[in-house]
């Protein structure tokens, strides 16, 4: 709609995020700079450590299971002469970093790529027995080369806090000066929590250490102060 109305251009960059996620980020210019290090203006989808919604057959596939996994014997076509079973998805994506598996909750790219990716994703949800996350896996497996899709397996733009483990960050969340610290989970210097770099951190409030006071305003004030934002609102 916005494209048709002329308010945005097809080459404009956009970020797509889950509506109820918690996002903490550096300035917009730094996000764009981190994204532009990826060649060819890809549809860049965030990575996570957990392989979902597919059945896990190895500990490396993750520790989190919400009880919505697809039945192992379910099969999905890749093309006319190839199909893949649900139990094979977790092994299908090559591991190039600690955040191996795609997470539909955060992605970035040109508007025209979003239109193509989400059009196919929505069609799969309507036509095949799989949720939106599983549908995005199928879009990647069927169309990644055609649509120039990439998974941010080394947290170069996005860091997903699902299945966060102690030691992933230089210092645990919910402490003073947290946002100046460095991510130590990836071999390259990732943008997450690194000085002069970009980070988009999801789910922070859900994964704070035991004992962190999330019932009042202190955590919001600390986060706002660290990001240089004037804080004057309620926790909600």
């Amino acid at each position: 709609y916005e494209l048709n109305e002329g308010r945005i251009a097809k080459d404009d960059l956009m970020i797509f995020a889950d509506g109820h996620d918690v996002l903490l980020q550096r300035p917009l210019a730094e996000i764009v700079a981190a994204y532009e290090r990826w060649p060819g203006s890809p549809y860049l989808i965030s990575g996570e450590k957990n392989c979902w919604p597919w059945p896990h057959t190895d500990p490396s596939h993750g520790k989190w299971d919400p009880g919505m996994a697809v039945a192992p014997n379910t099969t999905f076509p890749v093309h006319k002469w190839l199909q893949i079973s649900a139990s094979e998805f977790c092994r299908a994506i090559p591991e190039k970093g600690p955040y191996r598996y795609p997470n539909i909750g955060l992605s970035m790219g040109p508007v025209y790529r979003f239109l193509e990716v989400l059009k196919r994703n929505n069609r799969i949800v309507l036509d095949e027995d799989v949720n939106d996350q599983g549908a995005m896996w199928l879009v990647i497996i069927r169309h990644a080369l055609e649509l120039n899709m990439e998974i941010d397996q080394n947290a170069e733009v996005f860091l997903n806090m699902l299945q966060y483990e102690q030691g992933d960050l230089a210092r645990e969340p919910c402490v003073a000066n947290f946002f100046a610290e460095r991510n130590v989970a990836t071999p390259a210097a990732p943008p997450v929590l690194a000085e002069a770099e970009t980070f988009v951190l999801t789910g922070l409030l859900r994964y704070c250490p035991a004992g962190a006071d999330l019932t009042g305003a202190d955590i919001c004030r600390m986060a706002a102060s660290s990001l240089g934002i004037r804080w004057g609102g309620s926790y909600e």
Side-chain angles (χ1 to χ4, degrees):
Y1 177 81
E2 295 294 323
L3 184 62
N4 289 337
E5 291 294 309
R7 287 195 281 261
I8 60 174
K10 66 182 183 65
D11 293 320
D12 285 346
L13 288 177
M14 65 174 287
I15 292 177
F16 185 91
D18 281 348
H20 296 285
D21 277 0
V22 176
L23 302 180
L24 303 174
Q25 68 184 57
R26 289 281 174 88
L28 178 60
E30 297 180 20
I31 298 177
V32 174
Y35 170 82
E36 288 184 342
R37 287 194 282 271
W38 291 79
S41 300
Y43 176 89
L44 182 65
I45 188 168
S46 62
E48 65 167 275
K49 294 181 177 181
N50 196 71
C51 178
W52 186 76
W54 312 111
H56 295 181
T57 58
D58 185 86
S60 66
H61 298 163
K63 301 177 181 178
W64 187 69
D65 181 2
M68 297 175 63
V70 180
N73 60 349
T74 307
T75 60
F76 297 89
V78 177
H79 54 68
K80 181 178 180 180
W81 300 110
L82 179 66
Q83 63 183 14
I84 184 171
S85 70
S87 61
E88 295 170 326
F89 274 90
C90 295
R91 298 191 298 270
I93 297 211
E95 184 176 2
K96 298 182 179 179
Y99 305 95
R100 176 181 181 181
Y101 304 109
N103 183 298
I104 195 175
L106 270 173
S107 51
M108 183 174 183
V111 170
Y112 73 90
R113 289 205 194 281
F114 269 90
L115 294 177
E116 286 300 319
V117 169
L118 296 181
K119 183 189 305 179
R120 298 177 196 224
N121 190 87
N122 293 343
R123 175 49 54 190
I124 292 172
V125 171
L126 293 173
D127 293 347
E128 303 182 44
D129 187 18
V130 67
N131 61 20
D132 60 343
Q133 172 83 355
M136 185 59 73
W137 278 73
L138 288 168
V139 176
I140 292 170
I141 286 175
R142 294 170 181 172
H143 307 293
L145 291 179
E146 173 194 353
L147 300 177
N148 192 15
M149 301 176 72
E150 297 280 358
I151 303 170
D152 191 8
Q153 292 194 7
N154 285 296
E156 296 178 49
V157 177
F158 304 116
L159 173 63
N160 190 296
M161 290 289 284
L162 179 65
Q163 201 179 303
Y164 170 79
E165 296 178 349
Q166 188 173 12
D168 283 356
L169 304 178
R171 187 158 50 189
E172 296 307 294
C174 302
V175 297
N177 299 319
F178 167 66
F179 299 104
E181 293 303 321
R182 182 174 294 274
N183 180 354
V184 296
T186 57
V192 182
L193 309 180
E195 292 184 3
E197 295 286 356
T198 302
F199 70 85
V200 178
L201 183 62
T202 67
L204 171 64
L205 300 184
R206 293 178 57 194
Y207 296 95
C208 287
D213 180 15
L214 302 183
T215 61
D218 288 347
I219 184 65
C220 293
R221 185 177 294 107
M222 181 185 71
S225 175
S226 298
L227 291 169
I229 299 171
R230 181 178 179 182
W231 184 86
S234 68
Y235 174 80
E236 292 294 324

